[in-house]
Amino acid sequence: MRLARSARTGHWQVTSLLTAVMAFSMLQLFLIGALGPRLVAEAGIPRSVLGWTTTAGFGVAAVLSLSAGRWVDRLGARRCVVAALALTAAALVLIGASSGTVMLLAVVALGGLPQALANPATNKVILAAVEPARRGPVVGWKQSGVQFGAFVAGLPLATLAVWTGWRGAVWTAAAIALLAALWAIRALPPDPVPAAHQAASGLPPARVGRLAGFSFLLGSGIAAVNTYAALFGTQQVGLSPVVAAWLVAVLGVTGIAGRVGWSRRAGRLERPESLLGLLAAGACAATGLLMAASWVPALVWAGAAAIGVFAVAGNAVSMLAVLKRADARAAGRDSALVSAGFFAGFAVGPPLFGLLVEAAGYVPGWALVAVEFAAAAVVATVRGSR
């Protein structure tokens, strides 16, 4: 009985830690989105630059992901988890100290390194520490950490910024990231001594490529919503900056529910990727609600919630599809390659959305996002039929 209780405690500690790692890996970008109205009004950051911050962070993450998986496979998951949290803390400190657009973009680019490390490192921890029958829910909770980050950025930290200013809120997040790094040092077992080199067969390249292509399209749409939802709320729907930031929090809460719920279901399937077409189609319909919010403002809340349930869940299911048949020795590489597609989408989506909004308004911008989700549904359906 005592051993079973200890095992459950250890299981939940690992799950909670991995969830925190994923939350911090993208927290800087959620903070920039949630605090976007303050950055535009108080720091003089141009509206279009908000999209380029996402490009800087995810562009670097996409490039580094091409090799980050191999780093994780060689260096070990524990070292890379601790490094990711420490680098996140450093990036947040520097963001809070930023004094202009160029410095902000440079520091956000630094945050691309922990983003590249997070998925392959946490996936290797799951393969090593979690039995196969429980990996579906653990992947769901772990991937939902990103949405916990969205919630924290959109509600407590955005509210804290009312009293401390946006810099104080960012520095508070940096301090918490350092505490999480210390937690990882204590909670995760030491990395094993690297064995003699053995060839590891990863997933078939065609399968990894299709998952990466789906992730690219999905990431393009999600990133535009993450980056511009709060600004859309203030400029088009008439919300105050604090209330508009709650849109990011709503996206975070429903994203958690979506990732955990859909991952549980996917974990029971032989081919988890068979759900991806349904999720992308639901995301396309959800974007229609955001488009309609320009005329019926209340729909903005339903749109943000539905994006969380469908679009955000897609990334968790794609990661589970990688782990379902991954060779533990190559899991970092395969996870990182799929993540590279997702990060590339995050790099491309917001600038395109921002340029279209500047030229034609928010309705055409949301139409672009709907097209991206529809294309992801097509890619997923073709892959499923093959």
XYZ file of all heavy atoms in Angstrom, residues 42 77 142 175 212 230 251 278 283 300 346 349 353 356 370:
105
model
N 2.183 51.875 -23.478
C 3.150 52.382 -22.503
C 4.589 52.306 -22.997
O 5.408 53.161 -22.658
C 3.015 51.612 -21.187
C 1.633 51.738 -20.536
C 1.482 50.828 -19.335
O 2.517 50.336 -18.826
O 0.337 50.586 -18.914
N 17.595 13.917 -20.658
C 16.386 14.722 -20.476
C 16.485 15.650 -19.271
O 16.056 16.806 -19.334
C 15.177 13.797 -20.325
N 0.771 17.215 -19.778
C 2.048 17.881 -20.083
C 1.874 18.934 -21.170
O 2.310 20.075 -21.023
C 3.059 16.818 -20.516
C 4.478 17.328 -20.677
C 4.841 17.637 -22.103
C 5.007 16.394 -22.941
N 5.576 16.729 -24.293
N 11.277 34.846 -11.736
C 11.623 34.269 -10.433
C 10.984 32.895 -10.257
O 11.611 31.954 -9.735
C 11.175 35.220 -9.313
N 4.537 16.988 -39.156
C 5.139 18.320 -39.132
C 4.358 19.292 -40.019
O 4.164 20.458 -39.658
C 6.602 18.250 -39.586
N -6.164 39.527 -27.585
C -6.371 40.618 -26.629
C -6.464 41.965 -27.342
O -7.312 42.805 -27.003
C -5.247 40.640 -25.595
N -8.738 31.052 -23.442
C -8.068 30.160 -24.382
C -7.217 29.135 -23.630
O -7.167 27.952 -24.001
C -7.199 30.991 -25.325
C -6.445 30.268 -26.435
C -7.414 29.694 -27.449
C -5.477 31.217 -27.126
N -10.667 15.917 -37.437
C -11.826 16.422 -36.689
C -11.466 17.666 -35.888
O -12.217 18.655 -35.870
C -12.342 15.326 -35.752
C -13.414 15.732 -34.737
C -14.677 16.177 -35.450
C -13.704 14.576 -33.779
N -11.646 23.640 -35.257
C -10.941 24.920 -35.122
C -11.354 25.892 -36.214
O -11.483 27.096 -35.979
C -9.430 24.674 -35.180
N -16.987 36.625 -29.143
C -15.542 36.531 -29.010
C -15.158 35.532 -27.926
O -14.151 34.824 -28.032
C -14.920 37.926 -28.728
C -15.240 38.407 -27.316
C -13.416 37.901 -28.953
N 4.111 28.964 -35.983
C 4.000 30.077 -35.041
C 4.826 31.273 -35.508
O 4.473 32.426 -35.232
C 4.470 29.632 -33.654
C 3.351 29.230 -32.734
C 2.618 28.076 -32.970
C 3.017 29.998 -31.643
C 1.586 27.697 -32.141
C 1.989 29.643 -30.800
C 1.257 28.484 -31.046
N 2.644 32.639 -38.894
C 1.251 33.041 -38.770
C 0.997 34.472 -38.310
O 0.284 35.233 -38.986
N -0.893 37.607 -40.335
C -2.144 38.116 -39.777
C -2.047 39.618 -39.537
O -2.951 40.376 -39.889
C -2.448 37.385 -38.466
C -3.760 37.771 -37.828
C -4.914 37.068 -38.109
C -3.830 38.822 -36.930
C -6.125 37.415 -37.515
C -5.027 39.184 -36.337
C -6.185 38.473 -36.635
N -2.158 41.613 -42.786
C -3.500 41.606 -43.366
C -4.441 42.505 -42.575
O -5.277 43.226 -43.156
C -4.029 40.172 -43.405
C -5.311 39.929 -44.219
C -5.161 40.450 -45.636
C -5.642 38.443 -44.225
N -8.914 30.829 -40.598
C -9.843 29.746 -40.935
C -9.316 28.910 -42.090
O -9.425 27.670 -42.091
C -11.216 30.330 -41.280
